[in-house]
Amino acid sequence: MTSLPLSDALSAVQRTTPLVHCITNFVAMNSTANCLLAVGASPAMLHSIEEVAEFTRLAGALSINIGTPSPHWAEGMQLAARTANESNTPWVLDPVAVGATYYRQTLSQTLLAFKPSVIRGNTSEIMTLSGLTHAGRGVDATASTDEAREAAINLAMQQGCVVAMTGVQDFITDGTQHWRLSGGHALMPRVTTLGCALSATVAAFVAASPEAPLNATLAALTSFAIAGSRAGQQAAGPGSFQVALLDALYQLTPTDVRQFTGLEEG
Amino acid sequence: MTSLPLSDALSAVQRTTPLVHCITNFVAMNSTANCLLAVGASPAMLHSIEEVAEFTRLAGALSINIGTPSPHWAEGMQLAARTANESNTPWVLDPVAVGATYYRQTLSQTLLAFKPSVIRGNTSEIMTLSGLTHAGRGVDATASTDEAREAAINLAMQQGCVVAMTGVQDFITDGTQHWRLSGGHALMPRVTTLGCALSATVAAFVAASPEAPLNATLAALTSFAIAGSRAGQQAAGPGSFQVALLDALYQLTPTDVRQFTGLEEG
Amino acid sequence: MTSLPLSDALSAVQRTTPLVHCITNFVAMNSTANCLLAVGASPAMLHSIEEVAEFTRLAGALSINIGTPSPHWAEGMQLAARTANESNTPWVLDPVAVGATYYRQTLSQTLLAFKPSVIRGNTSEIMTLSGLTHAGRGVDATASTDEAREAAINLAMQQGCVVAMTGVQDFITDGTQHWRLSGGHALMPRVTTLGCALSATVAAFVAASPEAPLNATLAALTSFAIAGSRAGQQAAGPGSFQVALLDALYQLTPTDVRQFTGLEEG
């Protein structure tokens, strides 16, 4: 069992309005800020080396998403991650499409050196990252669930962090404890950047409960799973889904989290 | 009393479709453009020194928001503000989080030199800006309403511009006339970049009524207050609020503005 | 008559989930990705010279929109367009506001050298582009429908591509065959970046049916016209219109496309 009740992790976000410093991609900027505000956190998007170090020190957590990288942004990401590492600010890495280009792989590797608290990605991204840190392992597009699970555990152990691998079923591990999470809705992949927004939401939860990153991560994923499931009941398509998701995140209560049955150990 | 009726200021926007050149942050890009279109203006977002000077001269007004600054963008902002100043194009400054980093303070100070027509910010931002221009005054997080009010008046007098300080209650001044505005809805701070969109909307109103920047500003804030209040009556959360706000801005009539009772002198 | 039925072009998108590499403006990022997902395609936004060449080769089509240009982005656009041209990847050019600044005209001219498969723009943009490639023709703000039509045909013949000129009535030509398309809704111009999203949607359709770029373009425009018309029946303003449009794109079937009556040859 977990030490911090997941419902308390949501309460902590709603009570403390944690400031989350986001360096994210251009597509996800607005939806990420709105998800953070809906769940009760305070988002701040800024990326330039002229100011990131000063700001990361003020924030409760940092969230880095490499979705639309370029050299100036990569420098900002690295400086922010370094600052977070030095100031013990928890931070989350979202390695969007890391397998797609060499540039993303190099950038991700430099960021991993600053020890993220949590890595949130899909199966392919987690396997690529795991392969970057474990010589001799490549990405297999036809990877079985067992291989993906093993990659996530290896990455968590190697990095000493929480890994949240999301998909139809999510797998969350800190290398020692492992969890599977079911929920959400089939429309979620038809709305852009929900995964990006989820990563920033994980950062908000870790900011509010920095002593328990695994349970904070589980609580953030649980919140999205409940809100996604409710939004799906009302939605006629991805447009109305996105609207309903923000409303559902806003309406979410600790009791909702306590009653969630989609989480299983193992 | 004001010389230009506020309802006429809205009519002028709806009748003339003013072109508003926006240099804004990445989070606010889309919502700002949509608010401007809903209220009847024509938005154009462009920022690069390769073209801003040419474009600012075509526009009815310029709106600069420093939310996600970097050197290339800061250069574009400065060139656009300089061009607006030289060509008597009205322009609005939104000094997002100016108190958060040294970089934003320096950038804001260089922009103030080009004499904005209107500054729109929250209490903390207006007090920081006022402190930058009045030696010996710092920002006091526990500032009383009276101190904030005094800062806004000082900034307006120093800059020779309109200052719109928005929050639960708004305070608007040109240094001589002062107004308080109540309205809107508690959900507004739970939707990202509504303040940024409001600043650009002020620019649209000033573009349509450049001879009366104070009343144009009051009309823009009144429009948002009415639309926000109506959106709040229909919304189940921040997702549906954002949708309803755009609809309400689109449906707004001069009669609605004439019947608004939330504005008081003093 | 067309060789590829337009309903088959929609089926091909829904069946193959084409990967569309988008280099677009900051305002359009999110709405473009959501339109592509709604219609059944897979969007990827990335722009930096460090990775575009590698990625364009993976994509089914490339979509370039010059809405918020700057030097680093212009380099990325040029490298991506060159790569598309070399690797026979179809690509779509959206020359946003090309007439507004000298910078956009120069950039557009360099991009035209890499032979877009489709150009999608409004009347003014198409006439400007046509003027750039036909010495002695300028833009006439009071251009008649006939002049605009002639400019589109000239541009299509000169470039050897499809030209889709959209407005209250759309005109589509490959220089030989010409089509007029009516549909959509009066609220469409009140929602930002729908034209940008349409250009990327054209890219998705061409990716799925690369052998028939004219009919793929017609099918994409037909899809938007049907979805826009349906969204307009439910919307109270531009906020609810945008939501309903995404739902309608998602719900669209090949039968809907087959029953569309708004397309006429000539």
Side-chain angles (χ1 to χ4, degrees):
Chain A
M1 276 304 295
T2 59
S3 52
L4 173 75
L6 303 191
S7 55
D8 288 6
L10 174 61
S11 300
V13 172
Q14 295 178 334
R15 196 177 59 245
T16 65
T17 319
L19 178 61
V20 182
H21 177 191
C22 299
I23 306 182
T24 190
N25 67 73
F26 299 120
V27 196
M29 288 273 178
N30 193 272
S31 59
T32 297
N34 274 327
C35 282
L36 287 173
L37 286 168
V39 85
S42 176
M45 272 70 183
L46 65 164
H47 64 284
S48 190
I49 50 169
E50 279 72 18
E51 60 174 3
V52 286
E54 196 176 345
F55 196 84
T56 300
R57 287 192 197 93
L58 301 174
L62 168 70
S63 181
I64 294 182
N65 173 302
I66 67 164
T68 52
S70 62
H72 182 75
W73 283 72
E75 283 175 41
M77 290 175 191
Q78 285 160 13
L79 180 53
R82 177 196 300 273
T83 305
N85 183 241
E86 287 171 2
S87 60
N88 285 318
T89 304
W91 77 278
V92 176
L93 175 64
D94 184 338
V96 179
V98 60
T101 69
Y102 183 71
Y103 185 52
R104 284 166 199 245
Q105 287 157 41
T106 308
L107 174 57
S108 297
Q109 217 153 7
T110 66
L111 291 171
L112 285 177
F114 301 115
K115 297 287 169 196
S117 316
V118 185
I119 299 170
R120 207 285 316 160
N122 64 28
T123 304
S124 160
E125 291 156 357
I126 296 302
M127 292 190 73
T128 302
L129 270 200
S130 179
L132 286 177
T133 57
H134 291 76
R137 292 199 45 141
V139 181
D140 184 354
T142 58
S144 68
T145 304
D146 281 353
E147 285 170 321
R149 185 186 156 95
E150 191 198 340
I153 295 172
N154 281 342
L155 182 61
M157 290 178 68
Q158 172 84 17
Q159 289 289 317
C161 72
V162 174
V163 171
M165 183 168 66
T166 58
V168 176
Q169 188 178 63
D170 303 338
F171 178 70
I172 306 99
T173 177
D174 64 358
T176 308
Q177 287 189 65
H178 319 307
W179 295 86
R180 281 169 291 136
L181 193 151
S182 301
H185 192 269
L187 277 171
M188 294 185 100
R190 298 297 282 261
V191 177
T192 193
T193 67
L194 290 191
C196 306
L198 173 55
S199 296
T201 303
V202 167
F205 277 74
V206 175
S209 301
E211 74 290 356
L214 176 61
N215 288 17
T217 302
L218 290 170
L221 269 64
T222 296
S223 297
F224 256 64
I226 298 169
S229 170
R230 289 186 182 167
Q233 286 161 22
Q234 300 170 45
S240 46
F241 183 88
Q242 190 170 20
V243 171
L245 180 70
L246 288 172
D247 285 357
L249 285 172
Y250 174 75
Q251 292 161 358
L252 203 68
T253 66
T255 302
D256 295 330
V257 172
R258 206 174 300 119
Q259 294 171 346
F260 181 66
T261 58
L263 198 59
E264 289 181 290
E265 206 164 355
Chain B
M1 274 305 293
T2 58
S3 51
L4 173 77
L6 304 191
S7 55
D8 288 7
L10 175 61
S11 300
V13 171
Q14 294 178 334
R15 196 178 57 245
T16 65
T17 319
L19 177 61
V20 183
H21 176 191
C22 300
I23 306 182
T24 191
N25 67 73
F26 299 120
V27 195
M29 289 274 178
N30 192 274
S31 59
T32 296
N34 273 327
C35 282
L36 287 173
L37 287 169
V39 87
S42 175
M45 273 69 182
L46 65 165
H47 64 282
S48 189
I49 51 170
E50 280 72 19
E51 59 174 4
V52 286
E54 195 177 346
F55 196 84
T56 300
R57 287 192 197 93
L58 301 176
L62 169 70
S63 181
I64 295 183
N65 174 303
I66 68 164
T68 51
S70 62
H72 182 74
W73 283 72
E75 282 175 42
M77 291 176 192
Q78 286 161 11
L79 180 54
R82 177 195 300 272
T83 305
N85 183 240
E86 288 170 2
S87 59
N88 285 318
T89 305
W91 75 279
V92 176
L93 175 63
D94 185 338
V96 180
V98 59
T101 69
Y102 183 72
Y103 184 52
R104 284 166 199 245
Q105 288 158 41
T106 307
L107 173 57
S108 297
Q109 218 152 8
T110 65
L111 291 171
L112 285 177
F114 301 116
K115 297 287 170 196
S117 316
V118 185
I119 300 171
R120 207 287 314 162
N122 65 27
T123 304
S124 160
E125 290 156 357
I126 296 301
M127 293 190 74
T128 301
L129 270 200
S130 179
L132 287 178
T133 59
H134 291 75
R137 293 199 45 145
V139 181
D140 184 354
T142 60
S144 68
T145 305
D146 281 353
E147 285 171 321
R149 186 185 155 95
E150 192 196 337
I153 296 172
N154 281 342
L155 183 61
M157 291 178 68
Q158 172 83 19
Q159 290 289 317
C161 73
V162 174
V163 170
M165 183 168 66
T166 58
V168 175
Q169 191 179 60
D170 302 338
F171 178 71
I172 305 98
T173 179
D174 64 358
T176 307
Q177 287 191 66
H178 317 308
W179 294 85
R180 281 169 290 134
L181 193 153
S182 300
H185 192 270
L187 276 171
M188 293 185 99
R190 299 297 283 262
V191 178
T192 195
T193 68
L194 290 192
C196 306
L198 173 55
S199 296
T201 303
V202 167
F205 277 74
V206 176
S209 301
E211 73 291 355
L214 176 61
N215 287 18
T217 302
L218 289 171
L221 270 63
T222 295
S223 298
F224 257 62
I226 298 169
S229 170
R230 288 185 183 166
Q233 286 161 23
Q234 300 170 44
S240 44
F241 183 87
Q242 190 170 18
V243 171
L245 180 71
L246 288 172
D247 286 356
L249 285 171
Y250 174 76
Q251 292 160 358
L252 203 68
T253 66
T255 303
D256 296 329
V257 172
R258 207 174 299 118
Q259 294 172 346
F260 182 64
T261 59
L263 198 60
E264 288 181 291
E265 206 165 355
Chain C
M1 276 304 296
T2 59
S3 52
L4 173 75
L6 304 191
S7 56
D8 287 7
L10 175 61
S11 300
V13 172
Q14 294 178 335
R15 196 178 58 245
T16 64
T17 319
L19 177 61
V20 182
H21 176 192
C22 300
I23 306 183
T24 190
N25 67 75
F26 299 121
V27 196
M29 289 274 177
N30 193 273
S31 58
T32 297
N34 274 327
C35 282
L36 286 173
L37 286 169
V39 86
S42 176
M45 273 69 181
L46 66 163
H47 64 283
S48 190
I49 50 169
E50 280 71 20
E51 59 176 2
V52 286
E54 196 176 346
F55 197 83
T56 300
R57 285 192 199 94
L58 302 175
L62 167 70
S63 181
I64 294 184
N65 173 303
I66 67 164
T68 52
S70 63
H72 182 73
W73 283 72
E75 283 176 41
M77 291 174 191
Q78 286 160 12
L79 180 53
R82 177 195 301 271
T83 305
N85 183 240
E86 288 172 2
S87 59
N88 285 320
T89 305
W91 77 278
V92 176
L93 174 63
D94 185 338
V96 180
V98 59
T101 69
Y102 183 71
Y103 185 52
R104 283 167 200 245
Q105 288 158 41
T106 308
L107 174 57
S108 296
Q109 218 153 6
T110 64
L111 291 171
L112 285 177
F114 300 116
K115 297 286 169 196
S117 316
V118 185
I119 300 172
R120 206 287 313 162
N122 63 28
T123 304
S124 159
E125 291 156 357
I126 296 302
M127 293 190 73
T128 302
L129 270 200
S130 179
L132 287 177
T133 58
H134 292 76
R137 293 200 45 143
V139 180
D140 185 353
T142 58
S144 68
T145 304
D146 280 353
E147 286 171 319
R149 186 185 154 94
E150 191 197 338
I153 295 173
N154 280 341
L155 183 61
M157 291 178 67
Q158 172 82 17
Q159 290 289 316
C161 71
V162 174
V163 171
M165 182 167 66
T166 57
V168 174
Q169 190 178 61
D170 302 339
F171 178 71
I172 305 99
T173 178
D174 63 358
T176 306
Q177 288 191 65
H178 319 306
W179 295 86
R180 281 169 292 134
L181 192 151
S182 301
H185 193 269
L187 276 171
M188 295 185 98
R190 299 297 282 262
V191 177
T192 195
T193 66
L194 290 192
C196 307
L198 173 55
S199 295
T201 303
V202 168
F205 277 73
V206 176
S209 300
E211 75 290 355
L214 175 61
N215 289 16
T217 302
L218 290 171
L221 269 64
T222 296
S223 298
F224 257 62
I226 299 169
S229 170
R230 288 185 182 167
Q233 287 162 22
Q234 302 169 43
S240 45
F241 183 88
Q242 190 170 20
V243 171
L245 180 70
L246 288 172
D247 286 356
L249 285 172
Y250 174 76
Q251 292 160 358
L252 204 67
T253 65
T255 302
D256 296 328
V257 171
R258 206 174 299 118
Q259 295 172 346
F260 181 66
T261 58
L263 199 59
E264 290 181 289
E265 206 163 356

Short mmCIF file of all heavy atoms in Angstrom, two decimals, chain B residues 19-55:
data_model
loop_
_atom_site.label_atom_id
_atom_site.label_comp_id
_atom_site.label_asym_id
_atom_site.label_seq_id
_atom_site.Cartn_x
_atom_site.Cartn_y
_atom_site.Cartn_z
N LEU B 19 -7.77 46.58 -37.28
CA LEU B 19 -6.66 45.63 -37.39
C LEU B 19 -5.73 45.82 -36.18
O LEU B 19 -5.19 46.90 -35.98
CB LEU B 19 -5.90 45.89 -38.69
CG LEU B 19 -4.65 45.04 -38.96
CD1 LEU B 19 -4.99 43.56 -39.06
CD2 LEU B 19 -3.96 45.50 -40.25
N VAL B 20 -5.56 44.77 -35.39
CA VAL B 20 -4.74 44.85 -34.18
C VAL B 20 -3.50 43.99 -34.35
O VAL B 20 -3.60 42.77 -34.50
CB VAL B 20 -5.53 44.40 -32.93
CG1 VAL B 20 -4.68 44.56 -31.69
CG2 VAL B 20 -6.82 45.20 -32.79
N HIS B 21 -2.35 44.63 -34.34
CA HIS B 21 -1.08 43.92 -34.42
C HIS B 21 -0.72 43.45 -33.00
O HIS B 21 -0.50 44.27 -32.12
CB HIS B 21 -0.01 44.87 -34.98
CG HIS B 21 1.35 44.27 -35.02
ND1 HIS B 21 2.49 45.00 -35.27
CD2 HIS B 21 1.79 43.00 -34.85
CE1 HIS B 21 3.55 44.21 -35.24
NE2 HIS B 21 3.15 43.00 -34.98
N CYS B 22 -0.65 42.14 -32.82
CA CYS B 22 -0.37 41.57 -31.49
C CYS B 22 1.01 40.92 -31.47
O CYS B 22 1.30 40.08 -32.33
CB CYS B 22 -1.39 40.50 -31.14
SG CYS B 22 -3.09 41.07 -31.09
N ILE B 23 1.80 41.29 -30.48
CA ILE B 23 3.01 40.52 -30.17
C ILE B 23 2.75 39.99 -28.78
O ILE B 23 2.84 40.73 -27.80
CB ILE B 23 4.28 41.38 -30.22
CG1 ILE B 23 4.37 42.10 -31.56
CG2 ILE B 23 5.52 40.52 -29.98
CD1 ILE B 23 5.64 42.94 -31.72
N THR B 24 2.38 38.74 -28.69
CA THR B 24 1.95 38.22 -27.40
C THR B 24 2.65 36.92 -27.09
O THR B 24 3.51 36.46 -27.84
CB THR B 24 0.41 38.09 -27.35
OG1 THR B 24 0.01 37.83 -26.00
CG2 THR B 24 -0.11 36.98 -28.26
N ASN B 25 2.32 36.34 -25.95
CA ASN B 25 3.02 35.12 -25.53
C ASN B 25 2.40 33.89 -26.19
O ASN B 25 1.29 33.92 -26.69
CB ASN B 25 3.03 35.02 -24.01
CG ASN B 25 1.66 34.80 -23.43
OD1 ASN B 25 1.12 33.71 -23.54
ND2 ASN B 25 1.09 35.83 -22.83
N PHE B 26 3.16 32.78 -26.16
CA PHE B 26 2.74 31.56 -26.85
C PHE B 26 1.46 30.97 -26.27
O PHE B 26 0.70 30.33 -26.99
CB PHE B 26 3.86 30.51 -26.77
CG PHE B 26 5.13 30.94 -27.41
CD1 PHE B 26 6.31 31.04 -26.68
CD2 PHE B 26 5.17 31.28 -28.75
CE1 PHE B 26 7.49 31.44 -27.26
CE2 PHE B 26 6.35 31.69 -29.36
CZ PHE B 26 7.52 31.77 -28.60
N VAL B 27 1.23 31.16 -24.99
CA VAL B 27 0.03 30.60 -24.35
C VAL B 27 -1.21 31.34 -24.81
O VAL B 27 -2.28 30.75 -24.99
CB VAL B 27 0.14 30.69 -22.81
CG1 VAL B 27 -0.88 29.79 -22.15
CG2 VAL B 27 1.54 30.38 -22.32
N ALA B 28 -1.06 32.65 -25.03
CA ALA B 28 -2.21 33.52 -25.29
C ALA B 28 -2.54 33.69 -26.76
O ALA B 28 -3.57 34.29 -27.09
CB ALA B 28 -1.94 34.89 -24.68
N MET B 29 -1.71 33.21 -27.65
CA MET B 29 -1.86 33.45 -29.08
C MET B 29 -3.28 33.15 -29.58
O MET B 29 -3.95 33.99 -30.16
CB MET B 29 -0.90 32.54 -29.86
CG MET B 29 0.53 32.93 -29.73
SD MET B 29 0.93 34.20 -30.97
CE MET B 29 2.64 34.50 -30.53
N ASN B 30 -3.72 31.92 -29.34
CA ASN B 30 -4.98 31.49 -29.92
C ASN B 30 -6.18 32.14 -29.24
O ASN B 30 -7.10 32.62 -29.91
CB ASN B 30 -5.06 29.95 -29.82
CG ASN B 30 -6.19 29.38 -30.64
OD1 ASN B 30 -7.30 29.30 -30.18
ND2 ASN B 30 -5.89 29.03 -31.89
N SER B 31 -6.18 32.18 -27.91
CA SER B 31 -7.33 32.74 -27.21
C SER B 31 -7.44 34.24 -27.47
O SER B 31 -8.54 34.78 -27.56
CB SER B 31 -7.25 32.45 -25.71
OG SER B 31 -6.07 32.97 -25.16
N THR B 32 -6.31 34.92 -27.62
CA THR B 32 -6.33 36.35 -27.92
C THR B 32 -6.94 36.60 -29.29
O THR B 32 -7.80 37.47 -29.46
CB THR B 32 -4.91 36.92 -27.86
OG1 THR B 32 -4.43 36.79 -26.52
CG2 THR B 32 -4.87 38.38 -28.27
N ALA B 33 -6.51 35.84 -30.29
CA ALA B 33 -7.06 36.00 -31.63
C ALA B 33 -8.56 35.72 -31.62
O ALA B 33 -9.34 36.44 -32.25
CB ALA B 33 -6.34 35.06 -32.61
N ASN B 34 -8.98 34.70 -30.90
CA ASN B 34 -10.40 34.37 -30.87
C ASN B 34 -11.24 35.43 -30.15
O ASN B 34 -12.36 35.73 -30.57
CB ASN B 34 -10.63 32.99 -30.26
CG ASN B 34 -10.51 31.90 -31.31
OD1 ASN B 34 -10.87 32.12 -32.48
ND2 ASN B 34 -10.02 30.74 -30.91
N CYS B 35 -10.72 36.01 -29.08
CA CYS B 35 -11.45 37.10 -28.40
C CYS B 35 -11.58 38.30 -29.33
O CYS B 35 -12.65 38.92 -29.41
CB CYS B 35 -10.75 37.49 -27.11
SG CYS B 35 -11.07 36.34 -25.75
N LEU B 36 -10.51 38.65 -30.03
CA LEU B 36 -10.56 39.79 -30.94
C LEU B 36 -11.58 39.56 -32.06
O LEU B 36 -12.38 40.44 -32.39
CB LEU B 36 -9.17 40.07 -31.52
CG LEU B 36 -8.17 40.70 -30.55
CD1 LEU B 36 -6.79 40.78 -31.18
CD2 LEU B 36 -8.62 42.09 -30.12
N LEU B 37 -11.57 38.36 -32.64
CA LEU B 37 -12.55 38.06 -33.68
C LEU B 37 -13.98 38.08 -33.13
O LEU B 37 -14.90 38.57 -33.78
CB LEU B 37 -12.26 36.68 -34.30
CG LEU B 37 -11.03 36.60 -35.21
CD1 LEU B 37 -10.70 35.15 -35.52
CD2 LEU B 37 -11.29 37.36 -36.52
N ALA B 38 -14.16 37.57 -31.92
CA ALA B 38 -15.51 37.51 -31.34
C ALA B 38 -16.07 38.91 -31.13
O ALA B 38 -17.24 39.17 -31.36
CB ALA B 38 -15.48 36.73 -30.02
N VAL B 39 -15.22 39.83 -30.71
CA VAL B 39 -15.68 41.19 -30.40
C VAL B 39 -15.78 42.04 -31.66
O VAL B 39 -16.33 43.14 -31.62
CB VAL B 39 -14.75 41.80 -29.32
CG1 VAL B 39 -13.56 42.47 -29.93
CG2 VAL B 39 -15.51 42.74 -28.41
N GLY B 40 -15.29 41.53 -32.78
CA GLY B 40 -15.45 42.24 -34.05
C GLY B 40 -14.19 42.85 -34.62
O GLY B 40 -14.24 43.53 -35.65
N ALA B 41 -13.03 42.59 -34.01
CA ALA B 41 -11.77 43.14 -34.51
C ALA B 41 -11.06 42.12 -35.40
O ALA B 41 -11.50 40.97 -35.53
CB ALA B 41 -10.87 43.55 -33.35
N SER B 42 -9.95 42.55 -36.01
CA SER B 42 -9.18 41.69 -36.91
C SER B 42 -7.77 41.53 -36.34
O SER B 42 -6.98 42.47 -36.35
CB SER B 42 -9.13 42.35 -38.29
OG SER B 42 -8.31 41.61 -39.15
N PRO B 43 -7.43 40.35 -35.81
CA PRO B 43 -6.11 40.15 -35.18
C PRO B 43 -5.04 39.77 -36.19
O PRO B 43 -5.33 39.12 -37.19
CB PRO B 43 -6.36 38.98 -34.23
CG PRO B 43 -7.45 38.20 -34.87
CD PRO B 43 -8.29 39.16 -35.69
N ALA B 44 -3.81 40.20 -35.94
CA ALA B 44 -2.66 39.74 -36.73
C ALA B 44 -1.50 39.57 -35.76
O ALA B 44 -1.09 40.51 -35.09
CB ALA B 44 -2.30 40.75 -37.80
N MET B 45 -0.99 38.34 -35.68
CA MET B 45 0.12 38.03 -34.79
C MET B 45 1.40 37.94 -35.62
O MET B 45 1.51 37.07 -36.49
CB MET B 45 -0.12 36.67 -34.13
CG MET B 45 -0.93 36.72 -32.86
SD MET B 45 -2.65 37.17 -33.17
CE MET B 45 -3.28 37.19 -31.49
N LEU B 46 2.35 38.80 -35.36
CA LEU B 46 3.68 38.66 -35.97
C LEU B 46 4.67 39.43 -35.11
O LEU B 46 4.31 40.41 -34.46
CB LEU B 46 3.70 39.14 -37.42
CG LEU B 46 3.44 40.60 -37.74
CD1 LEU B 46 3.88 40.89 -39.18
CD2 LEU B 46 1.96 40.93 -37.62
N HIS B 47 5.93 38.99 -35.10
CA HIS B 47 6.83 39.44 -34.04
C HIS B 47 8.26 39.71 -34.49
O HIS B 47 9.06 40.24 -33.73
CB HIS B 47 6.89 38.37 -32.96
CG HIS B 47 7.50 37.09 -33.48
ND1 HIS B 47 6.81 36.20 -34.25
CD2 HIS B 47 8.74 36.58 -33.35
CE1 HIS B 47 7.57 35.21 -34.58
NE2 HIS B 47 8.76 35.39 -34.06
N SER B 48 8.61 39.34 -35.72
CA SER B 48 10.03 39.31 -36.07
C SER B 48 10.49 40.67 -36.59
O SER B 48 9.77 41.35 -37.34
CB SER B 48 10.25 38.22 -37.12
OG SER B 48 11.63 38.01 -37.33
N ILE B 49 11.71 41.07 -36.21
CA ILE B 49 12.21 42.37 -36.64
C ILE B 49 12.25 42.49 -38.16
O ILE B 49 12.27 43.58 -38.70
CB ILE B 49 13.63 42.67 -36.09
CG1 ILE B 49 14.59 41.50 -36.36
CG2 ILE B 49 13.58 42.97 -34.61
CD1 ILE B 49 16.04 41.84 -36.06
N GLU B 50 12.22 41.35 -38.86
CA GLU B 50 12.24 41.39 -40.32
C GLU B 50 10.98 42.04 -40.90
O GLU B 50 10.96 42.43 -42.06
CB GLU B 50 12.39 39.97 -40.89
CG GLU B 50 13.80 39.45 -40.89
CD GLU B 50 14.31 39.09 -39.49
OE1 GLU B 50 13.47 38.91 -38.58
OE2 GLU B 50 15.54 39.00 -39.32
N GLU B 51 9.90 42.10 -40.11
CA GLU B 51 8.65 42.62 -40.69
C GLU B 51 7.79 43.47 -39.77
O GLU B 51 6.84 44.10 -40.24
CB GLU B 51 7.80 41.46 -41.25
CG GLU B 51 7.41 40.40 -40.22
CD GLU B 51 6.44 39.35 -40.81
OE1 GLU B 51 6.13 39.39 -42.01
OE2 GLU B 51 6.01 38.48 -40.04
N VAL B 52 8.10 43.55 -38.47
CA VAL B 52 7.17 44.26 -37.57
C VAL B 52 7.01 45.74 -37.90
O VAL B 52 5.90 46.28 -37.83
CB VAL B 52 7.50 44.13 -36.07
CG1 VAL B 52 7.16 42.75 -35.55
CG2 VAL B 52 8.92 44.51 -35.76
N ALA B 53 8.10 46.41 -38.24
CA ALA B 53 7.99 47.86 -38.47
C ALA B 53 7.04 48.13 -39.63
O ALA B 53 6.17 49.01 -39.57
CB ALA B 53 9.36 48.45 -38.74
N GLU B 54 7.20 47.34 -40.70
CA GLU B 54 6.33 47.49 -41.86
C GLU B 54 4.87 47.26 -41.48
O GLU B 54 3.97 47.96 -41.94
CB GLU B 54 6.79 46.46 -42.91
CG GLU B 54 6.27 46.68 -44.31
CD GLU B 54 6.86 45.64 -45.28
OE1 GLU B 54 7.85 44.94 -44.91
OE2 GLU B 54 6.33 45.51 -46.39
N PHE B 55 4.63 46.28 -40.60
CA PHE B 55 3.25 45.93 -40.30
C PHE B 55 2.60 46.87 -39.29
O PHE B 55 1.41 47.18 -39.40
CB PHE B 55 3.16 44.48 -39.80
CG PHE B 55 1.77 43.95 -39.85
CD1 PHE B 55 1.26 43.42 -41.03
CD2 PHE B 55 0.93 44.05 -38.75
CE1 PHE B 55 -0.05 42.98 -41.10
CE2 PHE B 55 -0.39 43.61 -38.82
CZ PHE B 55 -0.87 43.07 -40.00
#
